[in-house]
């Protein structure tokens, strides 16, 4: 006998706020906009989108990260990534880079255009204590590697990480990660489109609306999520989204919570204050990118 599936309800919404980062890049921050405003395992979500070069031209010059993963997804524009390990990545429309900072990476992300529109997202996903000091790694994902699920009503689902689809037909994205098992979907919904997705009941799930508007939840309890807002979802096995009259573009993210203490100092995210102090000391003394095997002081 089939069991009745629990559709997740909208629990709360959060408006993104205008801020800047790097060398003055203007963006909108939702998750992570205040200390402690995390949604385990997600630490931060920034949306950038502007046609004014002065809002992005200075980019993100070299800076460190330790203890988590950064994901950059580009909708429009051209950025270049370089890091201390010699990775060079060209981030173009529809492409993504997935960087596991682990014990430490120093990288830059600089615009490769002096005019035109720049639009995309950066997401930070935590690593469990046991993997925070793993060697860093980097993967450049070309747009052609990102599968697109075409729905009957013309809507599209880009599967950036994890999987999407129906029980019978799952589509896997190019990135599969252990521990946090992130599912990262970019939904392009047509006018009035109704979309249902099965999700892992153990995952935390949220949405970010970046075009149009949506309602979330079962037919009898739909709640609106406005543009530039996060919608946090309750527990359940299914997500139902209804697009408004102008359609919508929405990021849908789910992940397995780690349930560990989080101590953050800017670009370092560890479990204890002592580990943060160690990260700062390593950075200041030039040991940040040491392999660690020899035991830095
Ligand atoms: Fe960075």
């Amino acid at each position: 006998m089939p069991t009745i599936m629990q559709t997740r309800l909208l629990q709360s919404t959060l408006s993104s706020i205008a801020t800047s980062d790097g060398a003055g890049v203007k963006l909108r921050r939702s998750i992570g906009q205040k200390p402690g405003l995390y949604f385990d395992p997600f630490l931060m979500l920034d949306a950038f989108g502007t046609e004014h070069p002065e809002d992005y031209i200075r980019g993100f010059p070299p800076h460190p990260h330790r203890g988590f993963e950064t994901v950059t997804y580009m909708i429009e524009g051209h950025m270049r990534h370089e890091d201390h390990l010699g990775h060079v990545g060209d981030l173009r429309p529809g492409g993504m880079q997935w960087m596991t900072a682990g014990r430490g990476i120093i990288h830059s992300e600089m615009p490769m255009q002096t005019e035109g529109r720049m639009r995309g997202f950066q997401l930070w996903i935590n690593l469990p204590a046991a993997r925070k000091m793993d060697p860093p790694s980097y993967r450049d994902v070309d747009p052609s590697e990102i599968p697109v699920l075409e729905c009957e009503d013309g809507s599209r689902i880009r599967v950036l990480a994890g999987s999407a689809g129906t029980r019978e037909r799952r589509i896997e994205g190019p990135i599969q990660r252990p521990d946090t098992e992130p599912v990262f979907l970019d939904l392009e919904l047509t006018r009035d489109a109704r979309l249902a997705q099965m999700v892992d009941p153990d995952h935390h799930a949220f949405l970010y609306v970046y075009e149009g508007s949506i309602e979330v939840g079962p037919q009898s309890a739909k709640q609106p999520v406005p543009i530039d807002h996060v919608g946090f979802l309750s527990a359940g096995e299914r997500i139902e989204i209804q697009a408004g009259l102008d359609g919508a573009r929405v990021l849908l993210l789910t992940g397995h919570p780690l349930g560990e203490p989080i101590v953050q100092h800017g670009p370092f995210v560890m479990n204890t204050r002592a580990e943060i102090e160690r990260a700062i000391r390593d950075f200041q003394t030039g040991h940040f990118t040491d392999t660690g095997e020899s035991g830095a002081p």
Side-chain angles (χ1 to χ4, degrees):
M1 207 167 119
T3 51
I4 296 166
M5 274 184 296
Q6 183 99 34
T7 298
R8 292 182 182 235
L9 302 169
L10 182 68
Q11 271 193 324
S12 60
T13 60
L14 171 72
S15 177
S16 59
I17 54 165
T19 183
S20 68
D21 209 339
V25 177
K26 289 203 177 147
L27 47 84
R28 295 194 70 88
R29 182 161 294 163
S30 48
I31 298 203
Q33 65 184 230
K34 278 191 273 190
L37 214 168
Y38 309 120
F39 192 53
D40 188 8
F42 302 104
L43 301 167
M44 193 189 82
L45 178 65
D46 285 348
F48 50 93
T50 173
E51 55 268 7
H52 306 298
E54 67 270 21
D55 292 345
Y56 62 73
I57 203 73
R58 290 180 298 279
F60 300 87
H63 58 277
H65 292 288
R66 176 178 281 181
F68 60 101
E69 305 191 89
T70 73
V71 183
T72 310
Y73 174 41
M74 204 74 175
I75 307 279
E76 291 173 76
H78 183 189
M79 298 264 275
R80 182 180 164 94
H81 159 103
E82 284 183 56
D83 66 40
H84 80 277
L85 295 169
H87 300 125
V88 177
D90 258 344
L91 199 50
R92 292 176 182 278
M96 174 174 67
Q97 60 180 31
W98 198 286
M99 192 180 80
T100 304
R103 69 165 72 103
I105 203 154
I106 296 175
H107 77 152
S108 64
E109 295 148 301
M110 299 302 289
M112 295 299 286
Q113 62 190 51
T114 53
E115 55 182 32
R117 201 163 153 75
M118 183 78 83
R119 192 182 188 204
F121 299 93
Q122 186 164 91
L123 174 72
W124 289 9
I125 307 174
N126 208 359
L127 285 169
R131 291 186 190 269
K132 281 185 179 291
M133 294 301 275
D134 277 2
S137 63
Y138 173 83
R139 165 114 184 251
D140 219 1
V141 182
D142 188 79
S144 64
E145 296 177 76
I146 298 170
V148 184
L149 254 161
E150 308 270 357
C151 308
E152 277 172 20
D153 60 11
S155 297
R156 290 180 172 159
I157 305 174
R158 289 181 179 80
V159 188
L160 298 143
S163 65
T166 59
R167 210 190 298 262
E168 297 76 35
R169 187 166 164 257
R170 297 301 296 172
I171 303 241
E172 299 241 308
I175 301 283
Q176 307 294 326
R177 300 291 295 144
D179 308 307
T180 55
E181 305 162 358
V183 175
F184 184 7
L185 310 179
D186 179 17
L187 314 177
E188 194 177 333
L189 304 174
T190 53
R191 175 192 172 104
D192 267 340
R194 188 153 183 84
L195 182 109
Q197 276 294 301
M198 301 290 299
V199 284
D200 189 320
D202 297 333
H203 278 199
H204 281 167
F206 75 94
L207 302 145
Y208 184 81
V209 181
Y210 67 99
E211 268 183 32
S213 62
I214 57 167
E215 291 183 307
V216 185
Q219 198 69 32
S220 56
K222 288 191 293 186
Q223 295 283 339
V225 183
I227 191 166
D228 296 332
H229 281 62
V230 161
F232 296 104
L233 305 181
S234 68
E237 300 132 300
R238 185 179 159 90
I239 294 176
E240 290 184 30
I241 304 169
Q242 167 100 46
L245 292 177
D246 297 324
R249 288 200 71 172
V250 178
L251 302 183
L252 169 57
L253 284 138
T254 85
H256 190 268
L258 296 171
E260 295 178 354
I262 298 171
V263 184
Q264 178 176 6
H265 179 80
F268 310 137
V269 181
M270 304 301 288
N271 299 107
T272 66
R273 190 70 226 164
E275 289 167 344
I276 289 291
E277 281 161 15
R278 167 75 186 269
I280 296 168
R281 196 167 65 241
D282 284 353
F283 186 60
Q284 287 171 343
T285 57
H287 291 290
F288 191 68
T289 56
D290 287 357
T291 58
E293 263 68 55
S294 57

